[in-house]
Amino acid sequence: MNGDDLTKEELLSRFLQLEQRVEELEQDNAQLREKLQEKDERIEELETRLRKYENPHTPPSKRRSGTDGSPTSQDDEDDDVRTDGGTPGRKDGHDPEWRSMADPDEEIEVTCDCCPECGDRFDESVGVSPRLVEEIPDPQPPEITRYNRHYYQCDSCGTETVAAHPDCPDEGQFGVNVIAQSALSRYDHRLPYRKIADRFEQLHGLELSGASAWHATDRAARAGRCEYEQIRQEIQDADVVHIDETGIKRDGEQAWIWTFQTVQHTLYAVRESRGSDVPAEVLGEDFAGTVVCDGWTAYPAFSSNLQRCWAHILRE
């Protein structure tokens, strides 16, 4: 039977079937296009997230894959693979490093009179099995010193003078060690002021409020201001200064910690800005030396005398 033998009803039926099939294919095509669009958007999102970790300004320690750019094999995908592409532990053939033990401050002879099994008495020891134990002392109570500072009045000019002692602080009731430990707890151990106060009470039985811990760190900062400014002056006069910055939280708010380094000095500055105003503030607007830096836009906005970091150039 050929097309000429088909009736009009049969031709119409076949046409309707073809038309319905075309509509089904168009619907399938629309669904596939929609899925493809979703995948393209997802790929773009993942590539955007990946660029945060894989770009010329990302140090190797922050990258999520190996530094050679090669894909990770299936055998390496286990719990021992670090996020930076390395593996934990020393490399094969590396000499071990043992923890050095200090000389003992005290030696205690540990003896036994009789056998714990049969009760027979021992005549003498046949050897020694030494064991070094390092321990910290029990919490030490604070030392409280009263300084009776005598004051005098000059008969000639009437000037009043209060005698000073090197161990007596100029202000406050806490000594140098309390101030130093407060600053270390805050900025090295990153403890909140409340926990700093708790730490003093636990270790030394010293009652200290969170506000007192804050005042102690503030006094430490003011005590070091003169040396800080001296270091900044040395850096301002340097021929070459390495600068870098990274994000940091300060009281829960975004801030930036800047590093200014020369061969002999390193200076840190925490600022809310990541712009060129920070190096202009620290180094001075008339800084004539060379700045070694990465490709952040704040540096060319500050100075035209730049040396790009070789690590970034090689990654680029």
Side-chain angles (χ1 to χ4, degrees), residues 143-147 149 165-179 206-208 211-220 222:
E143 296 180 354
I144 303 176
T145 304
R146 176 176 176 174
Y147 293 91
R149 301 181 302 164
H165 191 279
D167 295 332
C168 181
D170 295 334
E171 60 179 295
Q173 66 182 86
F174 298 112
V176 174
N177 288 335
V178 176
I179 296 174
L206 178 63
E207 293 185 5
L208 193 73
S212 297
W214 180 87
H215 284 293
T217 58
D218 181 64
R219 288 173 58 189
R222 285 188 279 117

mmCIF file of all heavy atoms in Angstrom, residues 143-147 149 165-179 206-208 211-220 222:
data_model
loop_
_atom_site.group_PDB
_atom_site.id
_atom_site.type_symbol
_atom_site.label_atom_id
_atom_site.label_comp_id
_atom_site.label_asym_id
_atom_site.label_seq_id
_atom_site.Cartn_x
_atom_site.Cartn_y
_atom_site.Cartn_z
ATOM 1 N N GLU A 143 52.249 36.881 94.879
ATOM 2 C CA GLU A 143 53.051 37.586 95.871
ATOM 3 C C GLU A 143 52.551 39.026 95.979
ATOM 4 O O GLU A 143 52.451 39.727 94.971
ATOM 5 C CB GLU A 143 54.537 37.578 95.474
ATOM 6 C CG GLU A 143 55.157 36.200 95.436
ATOM 7 C CD GLU A 143 56.624 36.242 95.031
ATOM 8 O OE1 GLU A 143 57.079 37.360 94.673
ATOM 9 O OE2 GLU A 143 57.288 35.205 95.066
ATOM 10 N N ILE A 144 52.236 39.438 97.150
ATOM 11 C CA ILE A 144 51.688 40.770 97.375
ATOM 12 C C ILE A 144 52.737 41.603 98.100
ATOM 13 O O ILE A 144 53.181 41.245 99.191
ATOM 14 C CB ILE A 144 50.388 40.725 98.185
ATOM 15 C CG1 ILE A 144 49.352 39.844 97.463
ATOM 16 C CG2 ILE A 144 49.830 42.132 98.409
ATOM 17 C CD1 ILE A 144 48.069 39.659 98.237
ATOM 18 N N THR A 145 53.148 42.671 97.480
ATOM 19 C CA THR A 145 54.174 43.548 98.037
ATOM 20 C C THR A 145 53.587 44.943 98.224
ATOM 21 O O THR A 145 52.938 45.475 97.310
ATOM 22 C CB THR A 145 55.398 43.629 97.111
ATOM 23 O OG1 THR A 145 55.898 42.312 96.875
ATOM 24 C CG2 THR A 145 56.500 44.473 97.742
ATOM 25 N N ARG A 146 53.829 45.496 99.361
ATOM 26 C CA ARG A 146 53.408 46.865 99.631
ATOM 27 C C ARG A 146 54.621 47.788 99.525
ATOM 28 O O ARG A 146 55.614 47.615 100.249
ATOM 29 C CB ARG A 146 52.778 46.975 101.017
ATOM 30 C CG ARG A 146 52.400 48.406 101.412
ATOM 31 C CD ARG A 146 51.689 48.428 102.744
ATOM 32 N NE ARG A 146 51.417 49.799 103.172
ATOM 33 C CZ ARG A 146 50.696 50.106 104.256
ATOM 34 N NH1 ARG A 146 50.211 49.124 105.019
ATOM 35 N NH2 ARG A 146 50.485 51.363 104.575
ATOM 36 N N TYR A 147 54.550 48.740 98.641
ATOM 37 C CA TYR A 147 55.614 49.713 98.453
ATOM 38 C C TYR A 147 55.230 50.999 99.190
ATOM 39 O O TYR A 147 54.287 51.696 98.782
ATOM 40 C CB TYR A 147 55.837 50.000 96.967
ATOM 41 C CG TYR A 147 56.378 48.824 96.185
ATOM 42 C CD1 TYR A 147 55.520 47.907 95.563
ATOM 43 C CD2 TYR A 147 57.744 48.617 96.072
ATOM 44 C CE1 TYR A 147 56.013 46.829 94.862
ATOM 45 C CE2 TYR A 147 58.249 47.541 95.357
ATOM 46 C CZ TYR A 147 57.381 46.649 94.763
ATOM 47 O OH TYR A 147 57.872 45.568 94.060
ATOM 48 N N ARG A 149 55.915 54.242 99.352
ATOM 49 C CA ARG A 149 56.629 55.234 98.549
ATOM 50 C C ARG A 149 56.651 56.570 99.309
ATOM 51 O O ARG A 149 55.614 57.227 99.453
ATOM 52 C CB ARG A 149 55.959 55.400 97.191
ATOM 53 C CG ARG A 149 55.889 54.111 96.384
ATOM 54 C CD ARG A 149 55.223 54.351 95.040
ATOM 55 N NE ARG A 149 53.877 54.897 95.228
ATOM 56 C CZ ARG A 149 53.177 55.501 94.247
ATOM 57 N NH1 ARG A 149 53.715 55.632 93.051
ATOM 58 N NH2 ARG A 149 51.970 55.957 94.476
ATOM 59 N N HIS A 165 60.395 52.940 92.548
ATOM 60 C CA HIS A 165 61.077 51.659 92.654
ATOM 61 C C HIS A 165 60.921 50.935 91.320
ATOM 62 O O HIS A 165 59.829 50.941 90.723
ATOM 63 C CB HIS A 165 60.481 50.819 93.795
ATOM 64 C CG HIS A 165 61.288 49.601 94.128
ATOM 65 N ND1 HIS A 165 61.208 48.435 93.401
ATOM 66 C CD2 HIS A 165 62.203 49.376 95.111
ATOM 67 C CE1 HIS A 165 62.025 47.532 93.921
ATOM 68 N NE2 HIS A 165 62.642 48.083 94.964
ATOM 69 N N PRO A 166 61.971 50.286 90.820
ATOM 70 C CA PRO A 166 61.879 49.657 89.485
ATOM 71 C C PRO A 166 60.824 48.563 89.388
ATOM 72 O O PRO A 166 60.306 48.302 88.294
ATOM 73 C CB PRO A 166 63.292 49.102 89.254
ATOM 74 C CG PRO A 166 63.905 49.016 90.616
ATOM 75 C CD PRO A 166 63.319 50.136 91.407
ATOM 76 N N ASP A 167 60.482 47.889 90.475
ATOM 77 C CA ASP A 167 59.488 46.825 90.435
ATOM 78 C C ASP A 167 58.081 47.313 90.731
ATOM 79 O O ASP A 167 57.126 46.527 90.664
ATOM 80 C CB ASP A 167 59.857 45.726 91.433
ATOM 81 C CG ASP A 167 61.154 45.030 91.070
ATOM 82 O OD1 ASP A 167 61.477 45.002 89.859
ATOM 83 O OD2 ASP A 167 61.852 44.537 91.981
ATOM 84 N N CYS A 168 57.943 48.577 91.058
ATOM 85 C CA CYS A 168 56.631 49.132 91.369
ATOM 86 C C CYS A 168 56.097 49.848 90.140
ATOM 87 O O CYS A 168 56.709 50.805 89.659
ATOM 88 C CB CYS A 168 56.728 50.089 92.557
ATOM 89 S SG CYS A 168 55.143 50.811 93.034
ATOM 90 N N PRO A 169 54.966 49.404 89.575
ATOM 91 C CA PRO A 169 54.442 50.047 88.369
ATOM 92 C C PRO A 169 54.003 51.477 88.648
ATOM 93 O O PRO A 169 53.660 51.843 89.774
ATOM 94 C CB PRO A 169 53.256 49.158 87.976
ATOM 95 C CG PRO A 169 52.839 48.493 89.244
ATOM 96 C CD PRO A 169 54.092 48.297 90.040
ATOM 97 N N ASP A 170 54.000 52.266 87.606
ATOM 98 C CA ASP A 170 53.610 53.668 87.742
ATOM 99 C C ASP A 170 52.120 53.819 88.031
ATOM 100 O O ASP A 170 51.695 54.827 88.598
ATOM 101 C CB ASP A 170 53.966 54.444 86.466
ATOM 102 C CG ASP A 170 55.475 54.504 86.240
ATOM 103 O OD1 ASP A 170 56.223 54.416 87.241
ATOM 104 O OD2 ASP A 170 55.894 54.625 85.072
ATOM 105 N N GLU A 171 51.325 52.848 87.595
ATOM 106 C CA GLU A 171 49.891 52.911 87.827
ATOM 107 C C GLU A 171 49.346 51.501 88.025
ATOM 108 O O GLU A 171 49.960 50.519 87.618
ATOM 109 C CB GLU A 171 49.183 53.571 86.642
ATOM 110 C CG GLU A 171 49.391 52.841 85.325
ATOM 111 C CD GLU A 171 48.654 53.495 84.178
ATOM 112 O OE1 GLU A 171 47.405 53.507 84.228
ATOM 113 O OE2 GLU A 171 49.310 53.992 83.251
ATOM 114 N N GLY A 172 48.179 51.411 88.651
ATOM 115 C CA GLY A 172 47.528 50.125 88.837
ATOM 116 C C GLY A 172 48.135 49.320 89.965
ATOM 117 O O GLY A 172 49.164 49.678 90.550
ATOM 118 N N GLN A 173 47.482 48.185 90.257
ATOM 119 C CA GLN A 173 47.903 47.341 91.367
ATOM 120 C C GLN A 173 48.472 46.009 90.923
ATOM 121 O O GLN A 173 48.735 45.135 91.750
ATOM 122 C CB GLN A 173 46.713 47.093 92.303
ATOM 123 C CG GLN A 173 45.598 46.268 91.675
ATOM 124 C CD GLN A 173 44.420 46.079 92.595
ATOM 125 O OE1 GLN A 173 43.525 46.905 92.652
ATOM 126 N NE2 GLN A 173 44.424 44.973 93.334
ATOM 127 N N PHE A 174 48.673 45.820 89.633
ATOM 128 C CA PHE A 174 49.203 44.560 89.119
ATOM 129 C C PHE A 174 50.604 44.779 88.571
ATOM 130 O O PHE A 174 50.892 45.787 87.922
ATOM 131 C CB PHE A 174 48.287 43.983 88.036
ATOM 132 C CG PHE A 174 46.907 43.659 88.542
ATOM 133 C CD1 PHE A 174 45.813 44.385 88.110
ATOM 134 C CD2 PHE A 174 46.710 42.650 89.466
ATOM 135 C CE1 PHE A 174 44.542 44.102 88.571
ATOM 136 C CE2 PHE A 174 45.447 42.355 89.942
ATOM 137 C CZ PHE A 174 44.360 43.093 89.493
ATOM 138 N N GLY A 175 51.468 43.783 88.825
ATOM 139 C CA GLY A 175 52.860 43.885 88.445
ATOM 140 C C GLY A 175 53.108 43.571 86.986
ATOM 141 O O GLY A 175 52.201 43.262 86.207
ATOM 142 N N VAL A 176 54.398 43.605 86.636
ATOM 143 C CA VAL A 176 54.803 43.435 85.243
ATOM 144 C C VAL A 176 54.434 42.048 84.722
ATOM 145 O O VAL A 176 53.971 41.901 83.580
ATOM 146 C CB VAL A 176 56.321 43.682 85.114
ATOM 147 C CG1 VAL A 176 56.791 43.373 83.695
ATOM 148 C CG2 VAL A 176 56.667 45.109 85.487
ATOM 149 N N ASN A 177 54.612 40.997 85.529
ATOM 150 C CA ASN A 177 54.320 39.646 85.062
ATOM 151 C C ASN A 177 52.827 39.466 84.785
ATOM 152 O O ASN A 177 52.438 38.774 83.827
ATOM 153 C CB ASN A 177 54.786 38.616 86.088
ATOM 154 C CG ASN A 177 56.296 38.497 86.136
ATOM 155 O OD1 ASN A 177 56.981 38.793 85.156
ATOM 156 N ND2 ASN A 177 56.835 38.090 87.276
ATOM 157 N N VAL A 178 51.972 40.055 85.628
ATOM 158 C CA VAL A 178 50.531 39.969 85.387
ATOM 159 C C VAL A 178 50.182 40.660 84.074
ATOM 160 O O VAL A 178 49.395 40.140 83.262
ATOM 161 C CB VAL A 178 49.751 40.590 86.557
ATOM 162 C CG1 VAL A 178 48.249 40.596 86.259
ATOM 163 C CG2 VAL A 178 50.021 39.829 87.848
ATOM 164 N N ILE A 179 50.768 41.810 83.834
ATOM 165 C CA ILE A 179 50.509 42.537 82.595
ATOM 166 C C ILE A 179 50.996 41.743 81.386
ATOM 167 O O ILE A 179 50.295 41.606 80.376
ATOM 168 C CB ILE A 179 51.183 43.918 82.655
ATOM 169 C CG1 ILE A 179 50.566 44.765 83.779
ATOM 170 C CG2 ILE A 179 51.071 44.635 81.312
ATOM 171 C CD1 ILE A 179 51.268 46.082 84.000
ATOM 172 N N LEU A 206 44.467 34.390 91.819
ATOM 173 C CA LEU A 206 44.460 35.843 91.744
ATOM 174 C C LEU A 206 43.115 36.305 91.198
ATOM 175 O O LEU A 206 42.706 35.917 90.100
ATOM 176 C CB LEU A 206 45.593 36.334 90.827
ATOM 177 C CG LEU A 206 45.682 37.842 90.602
ATOM 178 C CD1 LEU A 206 45.961 38.566 91.913
ATOM 179 C CD2 LEU A 206 46.751 38.163 89.569
ATOM 180 N N GLU A 207 42.414 37.109 91.976
ATOM 181 C CA GLU A 207 41.126 37.627 91.546
ATOM 182 C C GLU A 207 41.346 38.772 90.559
ATOM 183 O O GLU A 207 41.959 39.778 90.889
ATOM 184 C CB GLU A 207 40.317 38.105 92.746
ATOM 185 C CG GLU A 207 39.894 36.979 93.691
ATOM 186 C CD GLU A 207 38.993 37.474 94.799
ATOM 187 O OE1 GLU A 207 38.629 38.682 94.765
ATOM 188 O OE2 GLU A 207 38.646 36.681 95.679
ATOM 189 N N LEU A 208 40.840 38.557 89.346
ATOM 190 C CA LEU A 208 41.041 39.523 88.276
ATOM 191 C C LEU A 208 39.769 39.567 87.449
ATOM 192 O O LEU A 208 39.255 38.518 87.039
ATOM 193 C CB LEU A 208 42.239 39.113 87.414
ATOM 194 C CG LEU A 208 42.781 40.143 86.431
ATOM 195 C CD1 LEU A 208 43.530 41.229 87.186
ATOM 196 C CD2 LEU A 208 43.720 39.471 85.434
ATOM 197 N N ALA A 211 37.511 43.320 82.957
ATOM 198 C CA ALA A 211 37.914 44.702 82.709
ATOM 199 C C ALA A 211 39.358 44.938 83.140
ATOM 200 O O ALA A 211 40.108 45.654 82.470
ATOM 201 C CB ALA A 211 36.980 45.662 83.446
ATOM 202 N N SER A 212 39.766 44.322 84.253
ATOM 203 C CA SER A 212 41.150 44.469 84.698
ATOM 204 C C SER A 212 42.111 43.846 83.697
ATOM 205 O O SER A 212 43.204 44.372 83.457
ATOM 206 C CB SER A 212 41.334 43.831 86.075
ATOM 207 O OG SER A 212 40.538 44.478 87.050
ATOM 208 N N ALA A 213 41.721 42.694 83.113
ATOM 209 C CA ALA A 213 42.560 42.071 82.089
ATOM 210 C C ALA A 213 42.692 42.986 80.874
ATOM 211 O O ALA A 213 43.772 43.100 80.276
ATOM 212 C CB ALA A 213 41.982 40.724 81.677
ATOM 213 N N TRP A 214 41.602 43.661 80.509
ATOM 214 C CA TRP A 214 41.671 44.599 79.378
ATOM 215 C C TRP A 214 42.612 45.744 79.701
ATOM 216 O O TRP A 214 43.435 46.150 78.870
ATOM 217 C CB TRP A 214 40.285 45.137 79.060
ATOM 218 C CG TRP A 214 40.300 46.094 77.908
ATOM 219 C CD1 TRP A 214 40.200 45.791 76.580
ATOM 220 C CD2 TRP A 214 40.472 47.524 77.984
ATOM 221 N NE1 TRP A 214 40.298 46.933 75.817
ATOM 222 C CE2 TRP A 214 40.460 48.013 76.650
ATOM 223 C CE3 TRP A 214 40.633 48.416 79.028
ATOM 224 C CZ2 TRP A 214 40.596 49.361 76.360
ATOM 225 C CZ3 TRP A 214 40.776 49.772 78.737
ATOM 226 C CH2 TRP A 214 40.743 50.231 77.428
ATOM 227 N N HIS A 215 42.491 46.305 80.909
ATOM 228 C CA HIS A 215 43.373 47.406 81.295
ATOM 229 C C HIS A 215 44.836 46.952 81.304
ATOM 230 O O HIS A 215 45.734 47.743 80.954
ATOM 231 C CB HIS A 215 42.976 47.941 82.669
ATOM 232 C CG HIS A 215 41.745 48.796 82.651
ATOM 233 N ND1 HIS A 215 41.696 50.020 82.033
ATOM 234 C CD2 HIS A 215 40.512 48.599 83.172
ATOM 235 C CE1 HIS A 215 40.492 50.551 82.167
ATOM 236 N NE2 HIS A 215 39.751 49.715 82.858
ATOM 237 N N ALA A 216 45.085 45.695 81.673
ATOM 238 C CA ALA A 216 46.459 45.193 81.683
ATOM 239 C C ALA A 216 47.023 45.135 80.269
ATOM 240 O O ALA A 216 48.176 45.535 80.026
ATOM 241 C CB ALA A 216 46.508 43.814 82.338
ATOM 242 N N THR A 217 46.229 44.650 79.307
ATOM 243 C CA THR A 217 46.709 44.603 77.924
ATOM 244 C C THR A 217 46.882 46.013 77.370
ATOM 245 O O THR A 217 47.788 46.273 76.571
ATOM 246 C CB THR A 217 45.735 43.808 77.045
ATOM 247 O OG1 THR A 217 44.425 44.398 77.110
ATOM 248 C CG2 THR A 217 45.642 42.366 77.508
ATOM 249 N N ASP A 218 46.019 46.931 77.783
ATOM 250 C CA ASP A 218 46.157 48.321 77.328
ATOM 251 C C ASP A 218 47.445 48.935 77.870
ATOM 252 O O ASP A 218 48.148 49.666 77.158
ATOM 253 C CB ASP A 218 44.941 49.122 77.785
ATOM 254 C CG ASP A 218 45.016 50.571 77.327
ATOM 255 O OD1 ASP A 218 44.996 50.810 76.103
ATOM 256 O OD2 ASP A 218 45.101 51.467 78.189
ATOM 257 N N ARG A 219 47.793 48.628 79.116
ATOM 258 C CA ARG A 219 49.035 49.131 79.683
ATOM 259 C C ARG A 219 50.244 48.522 78.975
ATOM 260 O O ARG A 219 51.255 49.203 78.751
ATOM 261 C CB ARG A 219 49.087 48.824 81.177
ATOM 262 C CG ARG A 219 48.135 49.660 82.016
ATOM 263 C CD ARG A 219 48.109 49.189 83.442
ATOM 264 N NE ARG A 219 49.432 49.230 84.055
ATOM 265 C CZ ARG A 219 49.709 48.701 85.235
ATOM 266 N NH1 ARG A 219 48.764 48.064 85.920
ATOM 267 N NH2 ARG A 219 50.919 48.788 85.742
ATOM 268 N N ALA A 220 50.142 47.255 78.607
ATOM 269 C CA ALA A 220 51.241 46.625 77.869
ATOM 270 C C ALA A 220 51.432 47.305 76.511
ATOM 271 O O ALA A 220 52.562 47.535 76.064
ATOM 272 C CB ALA A 220 50.966 45.138 77.688
ATOM 273 N N ARG A 222 50.636 50.422 75.737
ATOM 274 C CA ARG A 222 51.203 51.757 75.938
ATOM 275 C C ARG A 222 52.683 51.679 76.327
ATOM 276 O O ARG A 222 53.480 52.545 75.954
ATOM 277 C CB ARG A 222 50.396 52.500 77.002
ATOM 278 C CG ARG A 222 49.048 52.991 76.470
ATOM 279 C CD ARG A 222 48.324 53.884 77.458
ATOM 280 N NE ARG A 222 47.633 53.119 78.476
ATOM 281 C CZ ARG A 222 47.894 53.163 79.765
ATOM 282 N NH1 ARG A 222 48.888 53.926 80.207
ATOM 283 N NH2 ARG A 222 47.198 52.462 80.632
#
